[in-house]
């Protein structure tokens, strides 16, 4: 039997996307296993959620490591030692050095709360507030491969939501977040099924292999 896809999830705060991944695994719609959840923020809600779910947690702070670069290199080392197949940024607010992306080529993904390349950069709720302020009629979320340029890597999948007349940053964020929670586990499942390939800036998702006819 094929081994389950091993995930390393990086999160800095609330952890609702982490929770969506954990729930999809529990529900049997995501065939993966979270090996470790790593945070740069001790005691954050994401780490609590992981502990509650019996998942290994680690926090690696900038202070302990003496700077951001050593911190991210330590996180990279930890993920390598944990043997993860896919690194998932689920609300992780640090961008790695080239050594980090090189350690997991095309296998580090991020979820961003806008339709990239619009409103790239910035952490939630910045992109959602900017979308409201700019008056766009549609926004959404994007799952993309992490490269050395922030929010500019190949796009794997997007979900679209309308921006309503009376939206503020909070109401738009909530509408987008509901889509994030569906999109991120779905994309991870594509990796679990080995369906994702990258050709230059474009990502191809192969059709699922049919269950067969016996
Ligand atoms: C989400 O909006 C995600 O798109 C962005 O950071 C936020 C994380 O939320 N990258 P949560 O911690 O998963 O609840």
């Amino acid at each position: 039997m094929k081994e389950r896809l091993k995930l390393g999830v990086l999160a800095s705060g609330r952890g609702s996307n982490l929770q969506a991944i954990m729930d999809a695994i529990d529900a049997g719609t995501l065939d993966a296993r979270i090996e470790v959840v790593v945070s740069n923020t001790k005691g954050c809600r994401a780490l609590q959620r992981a502990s509650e779910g019996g998942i290994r947690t680690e926090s690696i702070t900038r202070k302990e490591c003496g700077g951001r670069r050593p911190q991210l290199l330590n996180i990279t080392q930890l993920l390598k030692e944990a043997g993860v197949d896919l690194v998932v940024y689920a609300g992780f607010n640090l961008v790695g050095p080239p050594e980090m992306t090189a350690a997991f080529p095309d296998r580090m993904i991020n979820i961003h709360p806008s339709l990239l390349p619009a409103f790239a950069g910035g952490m939630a709720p910045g992109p959602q507030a900017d979308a409201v302020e700019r008056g766009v009629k549609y926004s959404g979320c994007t799952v993309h491969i992490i490269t050395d340029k922030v929010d500019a890597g190949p796009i794997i999948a997007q979900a679209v939501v309308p921006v309503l007349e009376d939206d503020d940053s909070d109401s738009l964020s909530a509408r987008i977040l509901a889509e994030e929670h569906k999109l991120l586990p779905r994309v991870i499942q594509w990796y679990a099924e080995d369906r994702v390939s990258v050709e230059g800036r474009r990502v191809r998702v192969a059709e699922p292999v049919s269950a067969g006819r016996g």
Side-chain angles (χ1 to χ4, degrees):
M1 218 178 83
K2 207 174 145 232
E3 247 201 83
R4 289 189 137 200
L5 184 79
K6 293 188 208 134
L7 307 177
V9 180
L10 305 188
S12 302
R14 177 178 59 182
S16 71
N17 278 287
L18 165 68
Q19 189 68 56
I21 298 168
M22 292 165 59
D23 292 348
I25 292 172
D26 287 347
T29 54
L30 174 53
D31 195 16
R33 182 190 139 82
I34 303 175
E35 288 294 319
V36 62
V37 173
V38 188
S39 183
N40 53 339
T41 318
K42 273 192 201 303
C44 68
R45 182 76 188 105
L47 288 176
Q48 289 167 10
R49 290 179 196 263
S51 304
E52 285 160 18
I55 296 167
R56 175 183 167 201
T57 61
E58 300 286 346
S59 63
I60 298 188
T61 64
R62 187 200 308 212
K63 207 168 161 204
E64 285 161 356
C65 302
R68 177 174 291 190
R69 193 180 141 76
Q71 177 189 18
L72 286 160
L73 292 178
N74 284 353
I75 292 175
T76 307
Q77 189 58 29
L78 189 153
L79 293 168
K80 282 207 281 192
E81 282 168 14
V84 309
D85 303 308
L86 183 71
V87 177
V88 181
Y89 273 45
F92 187 61
N93 60 14
L94 296 180
V95 180
E99 292 91 331
M100 191 170 187
T101 38
F104 297 95
D106 294 340
R107 296 190 80 86
M108 284 178 64
I109 63 174
N110 178 44
I111 185 147
H112 184 78
S114 77
L115 293 176
L116 291 173
F119 309 113
M123 285 300 290
Q128 297 97 319
D130 291 347
V132 171
E133 193 277 325
R134 184 63 183 76
V136 294
K137 302 302 181 196
Y138 292 92
S139 187
C141 52
T142 302
V143 178
H144 66 93
I145 291 172
I146 298 176
T147 58
D148 296 332
K149 218 168 150 213
V150 177
D151 293 335
I155 291 171
I156 307 170
Q158 295 183 304
V160 180
V161 303
V163 181
L164 306 180
E165 292 270 308
D166 55 357
D167 264 335
D168 58 16
S169 161
D170 287 345
S171 59
L172 179 60
S173 296
R175 195 173 307 117
I176 293 174
L177 195 65
E179 294 303 319
E180 294 186 31
H181 294 164
K182 292 185 261 177
L183 192 66
L184 187 56
R186 191 181 307 147
V187 169
I188 298 170
Q189 178 61 19
W190 294 343
Y191 275 92
E193 293 169 6
D194 219 4
R195 290 167 55 194
V196 181
S197 57
V198 186
E199 292 157 17
R201 294 182 61 91
R202 300 182 69 171
V203 174
R204 194 170 155 266
V205 180
E207 289 298 318
V209 177
S210 77
R213 295 199 201 120

